Structures are given as C-alpha cells and as structure tokens.
Amino acid sequence: QVQLVESGGGSGQAGGSLRLSCAASGRILSINTMAWYRQAPGKQRELVATITVGGSTTIADSVKGRFSISRDNIKNTLYLQMDSLKPDDTAVYYCHFARVGVREYWGQGTQVTVSS
C-alpha cells in the first residue's frame, strides 16, 4: 500500500550533477524525518543526509558542501541534489521516511554511477 519510488539516478561524470527524487504513494502517517542512504559494493550502508518536516538538516561529512537535501511536505517528495560528483559517490541510493522508533519506509534503491 505504501511505496517510496526513487527516480533521477543513472550515470554521471565527475564534476557533474544529478538530482534524485523520492515520491511517496499511499497513506504515510506520523512521519517527521526523511533521509537518504547509500551503499557501495562491499561497503556498509551510509547515512548521507536527513531532513525533518520542520526543515532541519544534517549532511554527512563525505558529501558536505556538495550535496543538499530538501523536501516538499505537501507532495510527500524528498530530493537529493548532488553536485561536484566524484567516482566515490557511486552507490545505490535509498530514500527513507520515518517516525523514529515507531515506523519506517524504504525506497527500492536507485543506482548512481559516476565515471572519471
């Protein structure tokens, strides 16, 4: 019933930009935190960025100054703007909506590949 669908992934070049979107369908209740995670082959899943419904954000040190997170609460859509891409940004990116400790929803993941 509830789905998070990512789009905007694909191939990019080093120094370029991509924007990921995550659109929620169905009835998602009591959500107050949204996030992007990523996982590269053979590595642990990494928290990239978070944003609250109120607009407070956190950004991982590895992407600080290059990525930004935003949301549209009315559309139930989450965005990740990725600038100054590096090959190390290559990973599967997952969106995540949650009320921490109560419920959570995950997207299916979208591949981002950055070539040098």
Side-chain angles (χ1 to χ4, degrees):
Q1 180 141 296
V2 175
Q3 293 188 51
L4 304 182
V5 179
E6 295 107 332
S7 61
S11 298
Q13 61 183 13
S17 298
L18 290 171
R19 190 180 76 160
L20 305 184
S21 299
C22 175
S25 63
R27 301 258 271 272
I28 300 178
L29 304 177
S30 301
I31 300 302
N32 57 17
T33 303
M34 293 167 278
W36 288 97
Y37 290 78
R38 67 184 184 185
Q39 187 165 28
K43 296 185 177 181
Q44 291 184 315
R45 184 170 296 186
E46 174 190 18
L47 177 62
V48 176
T50 67
I51 187 168
T52 68
V53 173
S56 298
T57 63
T58 67
I59 305 292
D61 288 342
S62 58
V63 302
K64 192 169 295 182
R66 301 188 297 116
F67 291 9
S68 62
I69 187 170
S70 61
R71 82 286 181 268
D72 186 325
N73 291 332
I74 301 301
K75 297 180 180 179
N76 286 333
T77 301
L78 180 69
Y79 304 96
L80 184 67
Q81 179 66 43
M82 308 165 64
D83 297 323
S84 301
L85 286 166
K86 302 177 180 179
D88 284 350
D89 295 323
T90 296
V92 177
Y93 285 72
Y94 300 89
C95 62
H96 179 251
F97 288 16
R99 184 171 182 85
V100 176
V102 178
R103 61 176 60 85
E104 62 181 350
Y105 307 92
W106 287 95
Q108 82 285 355
T110 185
Q111 177 71 47
V112 171
T113 302
V114 182
S115 59
S116 60

Short mmCIF file of all heavy atoms in Angstrom, two decimals, residues 80-107:
data_model
loop_
_atom_site.label_atom_id
_atom_site.label_comp_id
_atom_site.label_asym_id
_atom_site.label_seq_id
_atom_site.Cartn_x
_atom_site.Cartn_y
_atom_site.Cartn_z
N LEU A 80 17.41 14.86 -3.36
CA LEU A 80 18.83 14.95 -3.06
C LEU A 80 19.51 15.58 -4.27
O LEU A 80 19.56 14.96 -5.34
CB LEU A 80 19.44 13.58 -2.77
CG LEU A 80 20.91 13.58 -2.36
CD1 LEU A 80 21.08 14.25 -0.99
CD2 LEU A 80 21.47 12.16 -2.33
N GLN A 81 20.00 16.78 -4.10
CA GLN A 81 20.76 17.46 -5.14
C GLN A 81 22.22 17.10 -4.97
O GLN A 81 22.80 17.33 -3.91
CB GLN A 81 20.57 18.97 -5.06
CG GLN A 81 21.34 19.76 -6.10
CD GLN A 81 20.85 19.50 -7.51
OE1 GLN A 81 19.64 19.45 -7.75
NE2 GLN A 81 21.78 19.33 -8.44
N MET A 82 22.82 16.54 -6.00
CA MET A 82 24.19 16.04 -5.96
C MET A 82 25.02 16.83 -6.96
O MET A 82 24.85 16.70 -8.17
CB MET A 82 24.22 14.54 -6.30
CG MET A 82 23.26 13.71 -5.46
SD MET A 82 22.99 12.03 -6.13
CE MET A 82 24.62 11.34 -5.96
N ASP A 83 25.91 17.65 -6.44
CA ASP A 83 26.80 18.46 -7.27
C ASP A 83 28.24 18.04 -7.05
O ASP A 83 28.57 17.39 -6.07
CB ASP A 83 26.64 19.94 -6.94
CG ASP A 83 25.26 20.49 -7.22
OD1 ASP A 83 24.65 20.08 -8.24
OD2 ASP A 83 24.78 21.33 -6.44
N SER A 84 29.10 18.45 -7.96
CA SER A 84 30.53 18.13 -7.87
C SER A 84 30.74 16.64 -7.62
O SER A 84 31.48 16.23 -6.73
CB SER A 84 31.20 18.96 -6.77
OG SER A 84 31.06 20.34 -7.02
N LEU A 85 30.10 15.83 -8.42
CA LEU A 85 30.14 14.38 -8.23
C LEU A 85 31.55 13.83 -8.34
O LEU A 85 32.36 14.31 -9.14
CB LEU A 85 29.25 13.69 -9.25
CG LEU A 85 27.75 13.82 -9.02
CD1 LEU A 85 26.99 13.39 -10.27
CD2 LEU A 85 27.32 12.98 -7.82
N LYS A 86 31.81 12.81 -7.54
CA LYS A 86 33.07 12.09 -7.54
C LYS A 86 32.80 10.62 -7.84
O LYS A 86 31.72 10.11 -7.55
CB LYS A 86 33.76 12.19 -6.17
CG LYS A 86 34.06 13.59 -5.70
CD LYS A 86 34.67 13.54 -4.30
CE LYS A 86 35.00 14.93 -3.79
NZ LYS A 86 35.58 14.87 -2.42
N PRO A 87 33.79 9.91 -8.38
CA PRO A 87 33.60 8.46 -8.57
C PRO A 87 33.23 7.73 -7.28
O PRO A 87 32.48 6.74 -7.34
CB PRO A 87 34.96 8.01 -9.10
CG PRO A 87 35.48 9.20 -9.83
CD PRO A 87 35.03 10.38 -9.00
N ASP A 88 33.70 8.20 -6.13
CA ASP A 88 33.37 7.56 -4.86
C ASP A 88 31.91 7.72 -4.48
O ASP A 88 31.44 7.08 -3.54
CB ASP A 88 34.24 8.13 -3.73
CG ASP A 88 35.66 7.60 -3.74
OD1 ASP A 88 35.94 6.64 -4.50
OD2 ASP A 88 36.50 8.14 -3.00
N ASP A 89 31.17 8.57 -5.17
CA ASP A 89 29.74 8.69 -4.94
C ASP A 89 28.96 7.56 -5.58
O ASP A 89 27.74 7.44 -5.35
CB ASP A 89 29.22 10.03 -5.48
CG ASP A 89 29.80 11.22 -4.75
OD1 ASP A 89 30.00 11.15 -3.52
OD2 ASP A 89 30.06 12.25 -5.42
N THR A 90 29.61 6.73 -6.36
CA THR A 90 28.94 5.60 -6.99
C THR A 90 28.39 4.66 -5.92
O THR A 90 29.13 4.18 -5.06
CB THR A 90 29.92 4.84 -7.90
OG1 THR A 90 30.32 5.70 -8.98
CG2 THR A 90 29.28 3.59 -8.48
N ALA A 91 27.10 4.41 -5.98
CA ALA A 91 26.43 3.58 -4.97
C ALA A 91 24.97 3.43 -5.36
O ALA A 91 24.48 4.10 -6.27
CB ALA A 91 26.53 4.24 -3.59
N VAL A 92 24.28 2.55 -4.64
CA VAL A 92 22.83 2.51 -4.69
C VAL A 92 22.32 3.45 -3.61
O VAL A 92 22.73 3.36 -2.45
CB VAL A 92 22.29 1.09 -4.47
CG1 VAL A 92 20.76 1.10 -4.46
CG2 VAL A 92 22.80 0.16 -5.56
N TYR A 93 21.44 4.35 -3.99
CA TYR A 93 20.89 5.34 -3.07
C TYR A 93 19.46 4.97 -2.69
O TYR A 93 18.65 4.62 -3.55
CB TYR A 93 20.91 6.73 -3.71
CG TYR A 93 22.29 7.34 -3.76
CD1 TYR A 93 23.25 6.84 -4.64
CD2 TYR A 93 22.65 8.38 -2.92
CE1 TYR A 93 24.53 7.37 -4.67
CE2 TYR A 93 23.92 8.93 -2.95
CZ TYR A 93 24.86 8.42 -3.83
OH TYR A 93 26.12 8.95 -3.85
N TYR A 94 19.17 5.05 -1.40
CA TYR A 94 17.88 4.69 -0.85
C TYR A 94 17.27 5.86 -0.11
O TYR A 94 17.94 6.50 0.70
CB TYR A 94 18.00 3.53 0.14
CG TYR A 94 18.58 2.26 -0.42
CD1 TYR A 94 19.95 2.04 -0.42
CD2 TYR A 94 17.76 1.27 -0.93
CE1 TYR A 94 20.48 0.87 -0.92
CE2 TYR A 94 18.28 0.10 -1.43
CZ TYR A 94 19.65 -0.11 -1.42
OH TYR A 94 20.17 -1.27 -1.92
N CYS A 95 16.00 6.12 -0.33
CA CYS A 95 15.30 7.10 0.48
C CYS A 95 14.61 6.39 1.64
O CYS A 95 14.32 5.19 1.59
CB CYS A 95 14.31 7.93 -0.33
SG CYS A 95 12.97 7.01 -1.12
N HIS A 96 14.35 7.15 2.69
CA HIS A 96 13.84 6.60 3.94
C HIS A 96 12.98 7.64 4.62
O HIS A 96 13.42 8.76 4.86
CB HIS A 96 15.04 6.21 4.82
CG HIS A 96 14.69 5.65 6.15
ND1 HIS A 96 14.90 6.35 7.32
CD2 HIS A 96 14.17 4.45 6.50
CE1 HIS A 96 14.52 5.60 8.34
NE2 HIS A 96 14.07 4.44 7.86
N PHE A 97 11.74 7.26 4.93
CA PHE A 97 10.84 8.10 5.70
C PHE A 97 10.59 7.41 7.03
O PHE A 97 10.41 6.19 7.07
CB PHE A 97 9.49 8.27 5.00
CG PHE A 97 9.49 9.15 3.77
CD1 PHE A 97 10.64 9.50 3.11
CD2 PHE A 97 8.28 9.62 3.26
CE1 PHE A 97 10.62 10.30 1.98
CE2 PHE A 97 8.24 10.41 2.13
CZ PHE A 97 9.41 10.76 1.49
N ALA A 98 10.54 8.17 8.12
CA ALA A 98 10.37 7.53 9.41
C ALA A 98 9.78 8.45 10.46
O ALA A 98 9.89 9.68 10.37
CB ALA A 98 11.72 7.02 9.93
N ARG A 99 9.13 7.84 11.41
CA ARG A 99 8.96 8.40 12.72
C ARG A 99 9.83 7.52 13.60
O ARG A 99 9.51 6.34 13.82
CB ARG A 99 7.52 8.39 13.21
CG ARG A 99 7.36 9.08 14.56
CD ARG A 99 5.91 9.27 14.95
NE ARG A 99 5.80 9.98 16.21
CZ ARG A 99 5.82 11.31 16.33
NH1 ARG A 99 5.93 12.07 15.24
NH2 ARG A 99 5.71 11.87 17.51
N VAL A 100 10.93 8.06 14.06
CA VAL A 100 11.98 7.27 14.68
C VAL A 100 11.41 6.48 15.86
O VAL A 100 10.77 7.03 16.75
CB VAL A 100 13.14 8.17 15.14
CG1 VAL A 100 14.18 7.35 15.88
CG2 VAL A 100 13.75 8.88 13.94
N GLY A 101 11.67 5.18 15.83
CA GLY A 101 11.23 4.29 16.89
C GLY A 101 9.79 3.84 16.77
O GLY A 101 9.33 3.06 17.61
N VAL A 102 9.09 4.29 15.73
CA VAL A 102 7.68 3.97 15.58
C VAL A 102 7.42 3.24 14.27
O VAL A 102 6.88 2.13 14.26
CB VAL A 102 6.81 5.23 15.66
CG1 VAL A 102 5.34 4.88 15.46
CG2 VAL A 102 7.01 5.93 17.00
N ARG A 103 7.79 3.83 13.15
CA ARG A 103 7.59 3.20 11.86
C ARG A 103 8.56 3.78 10.85
O ARG A 103 9.07 4.89 11.02
CB ARG A 103 6.15 3.38 11.36
CG ARG A 103 5.74 4.83 11.17
CD ARG A 103 4.34 4.93 10.58
NE ARG A 103 3.34 4.31 11.43
CZ ARG A 103 2.73 4.91 12.44
NH1 ARG A 103 3.02 6.18 12.75
NH2 ARG A 103 1.83 4.26 13.14
N GLU A 104 8.83 3.04 9.79
CA GLU A 104 9.73 3.49 8.75
C GLU A 104 9.36 2.88 7.41
O GLU A 104 8.73 1.82 7.34
CB GLU A 104 11.19 3.13 9.10
CG GLU A 104 11.45 1.65 9.21
CD GLU A 104 12.88 1.34 9.56
OE1 GLU A 104 13.72 2.26 9.53
OE2 GLU A 104 13.17 0.17 9.87
N TYR A 105 9.76 3.56 6.35
CA TYR A 105 9.51 3.12 4.98
C TYR A 105 10.79 3.32 4.18
O TYR A 105 11.47 4.34 4.33
CB TYR A 105 8.38 3.93 4.33
CG TYR A 105 7.10 3.95 5.13
CD1 TYR A 105 6.85 4.96 6.05
CD2 TYR A 105 6.13 2.97 4.95
CE1 TYR A 105 5.68 4.98 6.79
CE2 TYR A 105 4.95 2.99 5.68
CZ TYR A 105 4.74 4.00 6.60
OH TYR A 105 3.56 4.02 7.31
N TRP A 106 11.09 2.37 3.31
CA TRP A 106 12.28 2.41 2.47
C TRP A 106 11.91 2.39 1.00
O TRP A 106 10.98 1.69 0.58
CB TRP A 106 13.18 1.20 2.74
CG TRP A 106 13.91 1.23 4.04
CD1 TRP A 106 13.53 0.66 5.21
CD2 TRP A 106 15.18 1.84 4.28
NE1 TRP A 106 14.48 0.89 6.18
CE2 TRP A 106 15.50 1.60 5.64
CE3 TRP A 106 16.08 2.56 3.49
CZ2 TRP A 106 16.69 2.07 6.21
CZ3 TRP A 106 17.25 3.02 4.07
CH2 TRP A 106 17.54 2.77 5.41
N GLY A 107 12.67 3.14 0.21
CA GLY A 107 12.58 3.02 -1.23
C GLY A 107 13.32 1.80 -1.72
O GLY A 107 14.04 1.13 -0.97
#
